[in-house]
Amino acid sequence: MTIMGSDAVERSVSLTARALRDVAHLDWSAPAADLEWSCYDTAVHVAGDFTAYAAQLTGRATGAYVPFEISADPGTDPSGLIEVIEATGGLLCAAVAVARPGVRAWHPCGMAGPDGFAAMGVVETLLHTHDILGGLGVHGWEPDADLCEQVLDRLFPHAPRAAAPWQSLLWVSGRTELPGLPRRRAWRWYNEPPAADRVVLCEISPNLAADLQAGGTGGFAWAEDGPGEGTRAAAAMVAEAREEGTHRPGWGAYAIVRTQDRRAIGGIGFHGAPDADGHAEVGYDLVPSARGNGYATDALNGLTAWAFGQPGVTALHASVDEDNAPSHGVVGRAGFVRTGSTEGGLARYTLQAPARA
């Protein structure tokens, strides 16, 4: 995983300021590309993100954004907004530079350290510069390829490198299509996704789940025979949990993404959050073309490692059809031990949490 620092934020802010100064004479009340905001409001949004990310790090926020927001003074013109972007970008640079590597702070896409917030700041400024320029009729702007490559590696482990880095970043953020990859209807990034050997687990958040449930891709580039029905069913459970108000981030479904080609090859996850005793049920599903290669075991190892890193989790369970020999092998290789049968006649497996130091 690429480690990004304050220098990357500084570069992105410099690129943004230079590009926006060339259009500061235009009318920024125009809509910013496909966004609901105007170009003016989009610029304020970028500055707000910079400030919020810096505050998350310095305040070490654990459960929500620090409760404040910024705005531009009435009458601020585009040139003034660019100054605000530069100044607030400097705040994020400073916060990233002084934060210790082990510091973690809350973000809706998962807890993140200074390198994660640096990468998120770079994404915000690059993509929204594209949006502002597009809204003002300026097309073809392209930031440094290596900066885009760093961001893709840090936040988008599920994005195939099917094109130049900037085009891949536009695709993974739902702004364009690529050959063989339609424009995404839903998307997100991943701050610290669980990973194991040859796969990375990308959480299927409620908006991605709704897209999968409706027959979409969930924002992933799937192997040709995916997504499977099991994955769509798991996504439906996530969407239902959101509607019921019972969804807990991390305790739903994940897409299994093969790191070799960044293709989604299945789903894995939990049937719900742990119960009062700290027990949770796991399940998984691989597309046929990916079976027999050990990917399910890799994914289950990554999932269990993540789960036992959460407070209060004492055991994980899995239920397997008696005649499903490959699945028995998966849970066995992941350390699960058969403990009986369910009322429905399925084999019941359990993995106890390792002893804590």
Side-chain angles (χ1 to χ4, degrees):
M1 181 180 69
T2 296
I3 303 299
M4 302 189 71
S6 58
D7 58 331
V9 180
E10 188 173 10
R11 279 179 64 196
S12 69
V13 171
S14 177
L15 290 169
T16 288
R18 189 183 314 145
L20 295 184
R21 282 201 171 92
D22 289 340
V23 295
H25 61 288
L26 299 177
D27 180 7
W28 284 33
S29 66
D34 294 329
L35 304 182
E36 296 179 355
W37 302 321
S38 68
C39 295
Y40 190 100
D41 291 337
T42 303
V44 174
H45 169 78
V46 171
D49 280 338
F50 285 156
T51 310
Y53 293 168
Q56 294 301 94
L57 277 176
T58 57
R60 302 190 182 188
T62 58
Y65 278 118
V66 177
F68 77 101
E69 61 181 1
I70 71 165
S71 61
D73 287 342
T76 301
D77 63 12
S79 294
L81 287 182
I82 296 167
E83 292 180 7
V84 174
I85 288 175
E86 290 179 306
T88 53
L91 291 176
L92 180 57
C93 284
V96 169
V98 301
R100 295 179 179 178
V103 169
R104 292 292 181 272
W106 182 89
H107 184 273
C109 290
M111 300 292 283
D115 70 310
F117 280 101
M120 288 187 277
V122 172
V123 168
E124 291 288 351
T125 187
L126 295 185
L127 292 180
H128 288 318
T129 298
H130 165 83
D131 297 333
I132 292 171
L133 293 175
L136 297 174
V138 177
H139 304 284
W141 178 76
E142 186 169 330
D144 296 351
D146 63 331
L147 193 58
C148 299
E149 186 69 33
Q150 290 178 52
V151 167
L152 287 168
D153 182 66
R154 180 59 183 81
L155 295 179
F156 300 99
H158 57 304
R161 306 302 195 261
W166 176 233
Q167 291 302 310
S168 293
L169 185 56
L170 291 178
W171 173 80
V172 79
S173 61
R175 285 165 168 80
T176 191
E177 62 181 22
L178 292 175
L181 296 172
R183 186 171 180 175
R184 308 171 86 195
R185 299 184 300 192
W187 67 280
R188 61 163 287 180
W189 61 62
Y190 296 90
N191 289 335
E192 294 184 335
D197 294 334
R198 301 165 298 164
V199 300
V200 62
L201 308 183
C202 295
E203 186 178 7
I204 301 174
S205 54
N207 66 319
L208 305 185
D211 186 62
L212 272 168
Q213 185 182 21
T217 65
F220 299 99
W222 287 89
E224 291 184 1
D225 49 347
E229 289 306 312
T231 301
R232 292 199 188 279
M237 292 173 61
V238 173
E240 181 179 351
R242 177 180 60 177
E243 293 297 322
E244 295 175 348
T246 58
H247 173 67
R248 278 184 58 185
W251 294 104
Y254 294 76
I256 303 171
V257 177
R258 187 167 50 200
T259 55
Q260 178 184 4
D261 58 2
R262 296 178 172 85
R263 292 281 174 171
I265 56 173
I268 193 169
F270 306 96
H271 294 182
D275 62 20
D277 296 321
H279 293 209
E281 184 87 13
V282 303
Y284 46 85
D285 171 50
L286 279 187
V287 299
S289 65
R291 295 172 186 168
N293 297 291
Y295 292 125
T297 301
D298 290 349
L300 189 54
N301 284 332
L303 189 74
T304 57
W306 179 87
F308 288 139
Q310 310 310 305
V313 179
T314 59
L316 298 175
H317 303 279
S319 300
V320 180
D321 287 332
E322 287 286 0
D323 59 354
N324 190 341
S327 193
H328 287 278
V330 168
V331 293
R333 287 189 295 274
F336 283 71
V337 176
R338 183 160 183 174
T339 53
S341 300
T342 69
E343 293 182 359
L346 301 177
R348 184 73 166 168
Y349 284 86
T350 298
L351 179 64
Q352 298 290 340
R356 298 182 183 272

